[in-house]
Short mmCIF file of all heavy atoms in Angstrom, two decimals:
data_model
loop_
_atom_site.label_atom_id
_atom_site.label_comp_id
_atom_site.label_asym_id
_atom_site.label_seq_id
_atom_site.Cartn_x
_atom_site.Cartn_y
_atom_site.Cartn_z
N LEU A 4 2.00 2.10 -3.39
CA LEU A 4 0.89 2.75 -4.29
C LEU A 4 0.77 4.16 -3.98
O LEU A 4 0.67 4.94 -4.86
CB LEU A 4 -0.45 1.79 -4.03
CG LEU A 4 -1.63 2.33 -4.87
CD1 LEU A 4 -1.37 2.19 -6.35
CD2 LEU A 4 -2.89 1.73 -4.40
N GLU A 5 0.90 4.51 -2.70
CA GLU A 5 0.76 5.94 -2.35
C GLU A 5 1.96 6.76 -2.90
O GLU A 5 1.82 7.80 -3.37
CB GLU A 5 0.68 6.01 -0.80
CG GLU A 5 -0.63 5.64 -0.26
CD GLU A 5 -0.67 5.88 1.35
OE1 GLU A 5 0.36 6.53 1.84
OE2 GLU A 5 -1.56 5.28 2.02
N LEU A 6 3.05 6.08 -2.89
CA LEU A 6 4.25 6.63 -3.37
C LEU A 6 4.13 6.88 -4.91
O LEU A 6 4.57 7.95 -5.34
CB LEU A 6 5.45 5.83 -2.97
CG LEU A 6 6.78 6.35 -3.42
CD1 LEU A 6 7.13 7.69 -2.65
CD2 LEU A 6 8.00 5.45 -3.10
N ILE A 7 3.72 5.94 -5.59
CA ILE A 7 3.59 6.03 -6.94
C ILE A 7 2.57 7.11 -7.41
O ILE A 7 2.71 7.89 -8.41
CB ILE A 7 3.06 4.64 -7.59
CG1 ILE A 7 4.29 3.66 -7.44
CG2 ILE A 7 2.66 4.80 -9.09
CD1 ILE A 7 3.87 2.25 -7.78
N ILE A 8 1.50 7.17 -6.55
CA ILE A 8 0.46 8.08 -6.84
C ILE A 8 0.98 9.54 -6.61
O ILE A 8 0.73 10.44 -7.32
CB ILE A 8 -0.90 7.87 -6.15
CG1 ILE A 8 -1.55 6.59 -6.53
CG2 ILE A 8 -1.82 9.14 -5.99
CD1 ILE A 8 -2.70 6.22 -5.70
N ASN A 9 1.68 9.76 -5.57
CA ASN A 9 2.47 11.12 -5.22
C ASN A 9 3.41 11.49 -6.18
O ASN A 9 3.38 12.53 -6.66
CB ASN A 9 3.00 11.02 -3.81
CG ASN A 9 2.01 10.93 -2.67
OD1 ASN A 9 0.93 11.57 -2.83
ND2 ASN A 9 2.41 10.40 -1.48
N ILE A 10 4.06 10.49 -6.70
CA ILE A 10 5.10 10.77 -7.80
C ILE A 10 4.43 11.18 -9.05
O ILE A 10 4.76 12.17 -9.73
CB ILE A 10 5.97 9.67 -8.00
CG1 ILE A 10 6.97 9.45 -6.82
CG2 ILE A 10 6.89 9.89 -9.29
CD1 ILE A 10 7.83 8.24 -6.91
N ALA A 11 3.34 10.52 -9.38
CA ALA A 11 2.57 10.82 -10.64
C ALA A 11 2.01 12.20 -10.38
O ALA A 11 1.92 13.01 -11.40
CB ALA A 11 1.43 9.85 -10.74
N ILE A 12 1.51 12.59 -9.28
CA ILE A 12 0.90 13.96 -9.02
C ILE A 12 2.02 14.94 -9.16
O ILE A 12 1.79 15.93 -9.80
CB ILE A 12 0.23 13.98 -7.69
CG1 ILE A 12 -1.12 13.14 -7.66
CG2 ILE A 12 -0.23 15.43 -7.27
CD1 ILE A 12 -1.93 13.00 -6.38
N ILE A 13 3.15 14.76 -8.69
CA ILE A 13 4.23 15.61 -8.66
C ILE A 13 4.64 15.88 -10.20
O ILE A 13 4.84 16.99 -10.62
CB ILE A 13 5.42 15.09 -7.87
CG1 ILE A 13 5.07 15.28 -6.37
CG2 ILE A 13 6.68 16.04 -8.18
CD1 ILE A 13 6.17 14.71 -5.56
N VAL A 14 4.70 14.71 -10.90
CA VAL A 14 5.08 14.78 -12.36
C VAL A 14 4.01 15.64 -13.04
O VAL A 14 4.45 16.37 -14.00
CB VAL A 14 5.28 13.33 -12.95
CG1 VAL A 14 5.31 13.27 -14.45
CG2 VAL A 14 6.47 12.76 -12.32
N LEU A 15 2.76 15.38 -12.82
CA LEU A 15 1.76 16.19 -13.44
C LEU A 15 1.64 17.67 -12.99
O LEU A 15 1.29 18.57 -13.80
CB LEU A 15 0.34 15.54 -13.25
CG LEU A 15 0.26 14.09 -14.09
CD1 LEU A 15 -1.12 13.47 -13.76
CD2 LEU A 15 0.42 14.31 -15.47
N LEU A 16 2.12 17.83 -11.76
CA LEU A 16 2.00 19.19 -11.26
C LEU A 16 3.11 20.09 -11.80
O LEU A 16 2.93 21.39 -12.01
CB LEU A 16 2.00 19.26 -9.79
CG LEU A 16 0.78 19.01 -8.93
CD1 LEU A 16 1.04 18.93 -7.47
CD2 LEU A 16 -0.26 20.07 -9.19
N VAL A 17 4.26 19.64 -12.04
CA VAL A 17 5.44 20.36 -12.71
C VAL A 17 4.96 21.05 -13.99
O VAL A 17 5.12 22.30 -14.22
CB VAL A 17 6.68 19.45 -12.85
CG1 VAL A 17 7.64 20.15 -13.65
CG2 VAL A 17 7.23 19.06 -11.57
N PRO A 18 4.41 20.33 -15.00
CA PRO A 18 4.03 21.00 -16.31
C PRO A 18 2.89 22.00 -16.06
O PRO A 18 2.68 22.99 -16.63
CB PRO A 18 3.58 19.91 -17.23
CG PRO A 18 3.89 18.65 -16.64
CD PRO A 18 4.31 18.94 -15.15
N THR A 19 2.04 21.67 -15.07
CA THR A 19 0.89 22.51 -14.82
C THR A 19 1.37 23.85 -14.18
O THR A 19 0.91 24.91 -14.44
CB THR A 19 -0.11 21.93 -13.74
OG1 THR A 19 -0.50 20.56 -14.31
CG2 THR A 19 -1.27 22.76 -13.46
N ILE A 20 2.39 23.73 -13.30
CA ILE A 20 2.89 24.93 -12.69
C ILE A 20 3.65 25.79 -13.67
O ILE A 20 3.50 27.10 -13.76
CB ILE A 20 3.94 24.66 -11.49
CG1 ILE A 20 3.18 24.01 -10.28
CG2 ILE A 20 4.78 25.82 -11.12
CD1 ILE A 20 4.01 23.37 -9.30
N LEU A 21 4.38 25.09 -14.70
CA LEU A 21 5.05 25.99 -15.76
C LEU A 21 3.99 26.53 -16.74
O LEU A 21 4.18 27.74 -16.99
CB LEU A 21 5.99 24.99 -16.56
CG LEU A 21 7.26 24.39 -15.85
CD1 LEU A 21 7.82 23.29 -16.68
CD2 LEU A 21 8.06 25.49 -15.49
N TYR A 22 2.96 25.86 -16.96
CA TYR A 22 1.91 26.46 -17.80
C TYR A 22 1.19 27.59 -17.22
O TYR A 22 1.02 28.61 -17.77
CB TYR A 22 0.88 25.34 -18.13
CG TYR A 22 -0.18 25.76 -19.06
CD1 TYR A 22 -0.09 25.97 -20.34
CD2 TYR A 22 -1.54 26.08 -18.58
CE1 TYR A 22 -1.02 26.55 -21.22
CE2 TYR A 22 -2.58 26.58 -19.35
CZ TYR A 22 -2.35 26.86 -20.66
OH TYR A 22 -3.38 27.31 -21.44
N THR A 23 1.02 27.49 -15.89
CA THR A 23 0.34 28.63 -15.21
C THR A 23 1.26 29.80 -15.12
O THR A 23 0.87 30.88 -15.13
CB THR A 23 -0.14 28.22 -13.78
OG1 THR A 23 0.83 27.65 -13.03
CG2 THR A 23 -1.31 27.19 -13.88
N TYR A 24 2.54 29.59 -14.88
CA TYR A 24 3.51 30.59 -14.87
C TYR A 24 3.53 31.39 -16.32
O TYR A 24 3.51 32.67 -16.29
CB TYR A 24 4.91 30.02 -14.62
CG TYR A 24 5.95 31.15 -14.60
CD1 TYR A 24 6.10 32.00 -13.76
CD2 TYR A 24 6.96 31.20 -15.81
CE1 TYR A 24 7.18 33.02 -13.74
CE2 TYR A 24 7.89 32.10 -15.90
CZ TYR A 24 8.03 33.14 -14.82
OH TYR A 24 9.00 34.02 -14.85
N ARG A 25 3.59 30.68 -17.43
CA ARG A 25 3.53 31.28 -18.76
C ARG A 25 2.11 32.01 -19.04
O ARG A 25 2.20 33.10 -19.55
CB ARG A 25 3.69 30.29 -19.83
CG ARG A 25 5.21 29.64 -19.81
CD ARG A 25 5.40 28.62 -20.85
NE ARG A 25 5.48 29.28 -22.19
CZ ARG A 25 5.31 28.67 -23.28
NH1 ARG A 25 5.06 27.40 -23.18
NH2 ARG A 25 5.32 29.42 -24.34
N LEU A 26 1.10 31.42 -18.39
CA LEU A 26 -0.06 32.04 -18.59
C LEU A 26 -0.25 33.36 -17.84
O LEU A 26 -0.80 34.32 -18.31
CB LEU A 26 -1.28 30.98 -18.10
CG LEU A 26 -2.76 31.67 -18.34
CD1 LEU A 26 -3.06 31.82 -19.76
CD2 LEU A 26 -3.65 30.64 -17.70
N ASN A 27 0.28 33.39 -16.51
CA ASN A 27 0.31 34.61 -15.78
C ASN A 27 1.22 35.70 -16.60
O ASN A 27 0.83 36.82 -16.44
CB ASN A 27 0.90 34.24 -14.38
CG ASN A 27 0.75 35.28 -13.45
OD1 ASN A 27 -0.15 36.20 -13.46
ND2 ASN A 27 1.80 35.60 -12.59
N LYS A 28 2.26 35.22 -17.08
CA LYS A 28 3.10 36.10 -17.76
C LYS A 28 2.37 36.82 -18.96
O LYS A 28 2.49 38.02 -19.11
CB LYS A 28 4.40 35.52 -18.25
CG LYS A 28 5.46 36.28 -18.64
CD LYS A 28 6.61 35.37 -18.93
CE LYS A 28 7.87 36.08 -19.17
NZ LYS A 28 9.04 35.18 -19.66
N ASN A 29 1.66 36.04 -19.67
CA ASN A 29 0.81 36.61 -20.81
C ASN A 29 -0.29 37.44 -20.32
O ASN A 29 -0.57 38.46 -21.04
CB ASN A 29 0.32 35.33 -21.72
CG ASN A 29 1.43 34.75 -22.56
OD1 ASN A 29 2.45 35.29 -22.86
ND2 ASN A 29 1.20 33.48 -22.94
N LEU A 30 -0.85 37.15 -19.33
CA LEU A 30 -1.98 37.97 -18.76
C LEU A 30 -1.47 39.34 -18.27
O LEU A 30 -2.06 40.24 -18.44
CB LEU A 30 -2.68 37.26 -17.63
CG LEU A 30 -3.68 35.97 -17.97
CD1 LEU A 30 -4.12 35.32 -16.82
CD2 LEU A 30 -4.80 36.68 -18.86
N ASN A 31 -0.26 39.17 -17.66
CA ASN A 31 0.41 40.51 -17.28
C ASN A 31 0.71 41.37 -18.59
O ASN A 31 0.40 42.59 -18.40
CB ASN A 31 1.65 40.18 -16.45
CG ASN A 31 1.38 39.82 -15.10
OD1 ASN A 31 0.26 40.11 -14.59
ND2 ASN A 31 2.35 38.98 -14.50
N ILE A 32 1.11 40.79 -19.59
CA ILE A 32 1.44 41.66 -20.73
C ILE A 32 0.06 42.11 -21.36
O ILE A 32 -0.04 43.34 -21.72
CB ILE A 32 2.16 40.73 -21.82
CG1 ILE A 32 3.49 40.37 -21.35
CG2 ILE A 32 2.23 41.46 -23.24
CD1 ILE A 32 4.26 39.32 -22.16
N LEU A 33 -0.98 41.36 -21.38
CA LEU A 33 -2.30 41.75 -21.81
C LEU A 33 -2.78 42.91 -20.95
O LEU A 33 -3.34 43.87 -21.46
CB LEU A 33 -3.25 40.57 -21.79
CG LEU A 33 -4.72 40.76 -22.36
CD1 LEU A 33 -4.59 41.21 -23.81
CD2 LEU A 33 -5.48 39.69 -22.22
N ARG A 34 -2.62 42.84 -19.70
CA ARG A 34 -3.10 44.01 -18.80
C ARG A 34 -2.30 45.25 -19.10
O ARG A 34 -2.91 46.24 -19.02
CB ARG A 34 -2.81 43.56 -17.39
CG ARG A 34 -3.90 42.54 -16.87
CD ARG A 34 -3.72 42.25 -15.29
NE ARG A 34 -4.47 41.03 -15.01
CZ ARG A 34 -3.88 39.89 -14.46
NH1 ARG A 34 -2.65 39.95 -14.21
NH2 ARG A 34 -4.58 38.81 -14.22
N GLN A 35 -0.99 45.11 -19.36
CA GLN A 35 -0.23 46.24 -19.71
C GLN A 35 -0.65 46.84 -20.90
O GLN A 35 -0.55 48.13 -21.04
CB GLN A 35 1.19 45.85 -19.82
CG GLN A 35 1.95 45.56 -18.36
CD GLN A 35 3.32 44.97 -18.57
OE1 GLN A 35 3.84 44.77 -19.71
NE2 GLN A 35 3.96 44.66 -17.49
N ASN A 36 -1.07 46.15 -21.84
CA ASN A 36 -1.51 46.61 -23.25
C ASN A 36 -3.07 46.77 -23.33
O ASN A 36 -3.58 47.10 -24.40
CB ASN A 36 -1.19 45.61 -24.38
CG ASN A 36 0.48 45.56 -24.47
OD1 ASN A 36 1.14 46.56 -24.33
ND2 ASN A 36 0.92 44.45 -24.83
N GLN A 37 -3.64 46.63 -22.21
CA GLN A 37 -5.06 46.86 -22.15
C GLN A 37 -5.63 48.32 -22.61
O GLN A 37 -6.47 48.48 -23.37
CB GLN A 37 -5.72 46.64 -20.72
CG GLN A 37 -7.25 46.57 -20.68
CD GLN A 37 -7.69 46.12 -19.36
OE1 GLN A 37 -6.77 45.91 -18.39
NE2 GLN A 37 -8.95 45.75 -19.07
N ASN A 38 -4.77 49.37 -22.21
CA ASN A 38 -5.13 50.66 -22.62
C ASN A 38 -4.97 50.87 -24.07
O ASN A 38 -5.86 51.47 -24.68
CB ASN A 38 -4.15 51.70 -21.83
CG ASN A 38 -4.47 51.79 -20.32
OD1 ASN A 38 -5.63 51.53 -19.91
ND2 ASN A 38 -3.59 52.12 -19.57
N SER A 39 -3.83 50.34 -24.62
CA SER A 39 -3.82 50.53 -26.09
C SER A 39 -4.81 49.73 -26.81
O SER A 39 -5.41 50.12 -27.83
CB SER A 39 -2.35 50.17 -26.50
OG SER A 39 -2.12 48.76 -26.28
N LEU A 40 -5.17 48.61 -26.27
CA LEU A 40 -6.31 47.82 -26.89
C LEU A 40 -7.57 48.41 -26.80
O LEU A 40 -8.41 48.55 -27.78
CB LEU A 40 -6.32 46.38 -26.23
CG LEU A 40 -7.39 45.45 -26.78
CD1 LEU A 40 -7.06 45.14 -28.24
CD2 LEU A 40 -7.39 44.18 -25.97
N ALA A 41 -7.79 49.24 -25.66
CA ALA A 41 -9.10 50.04 -25.67
C ALA A 41 -9.01 51.07 -26.54
O ALA A 41 -10.14 51.42 -27.15
CB ALA A 41 -9.17 50.50 -24.03
#
Side-chain angles (χ1 to χ4, degrees):
L4 183 62
E5 288 180 15
L6 183 64
I7 292 174
I8 292 176
N9 285 334
I10 291 175
I12 290 176
I13 291 172
V14 168
L15 292 175
L16 278 177
V17 169
T19 306
I20 291 171
L21 292 175
Y22 179 75
T23 55
Y24 176 74
R25 291 180 71 200
L26 183 62
N27 188 34
K28 198 175 186 184
N29 288 337
L30 285 173
N31 285 336
I32 292 171
L33 183 63
R34 284 185 199 120
Q35 289 172 356
N36 294 327
Q37 187 175 9
N38 288 337
S39 63
L40 184 62

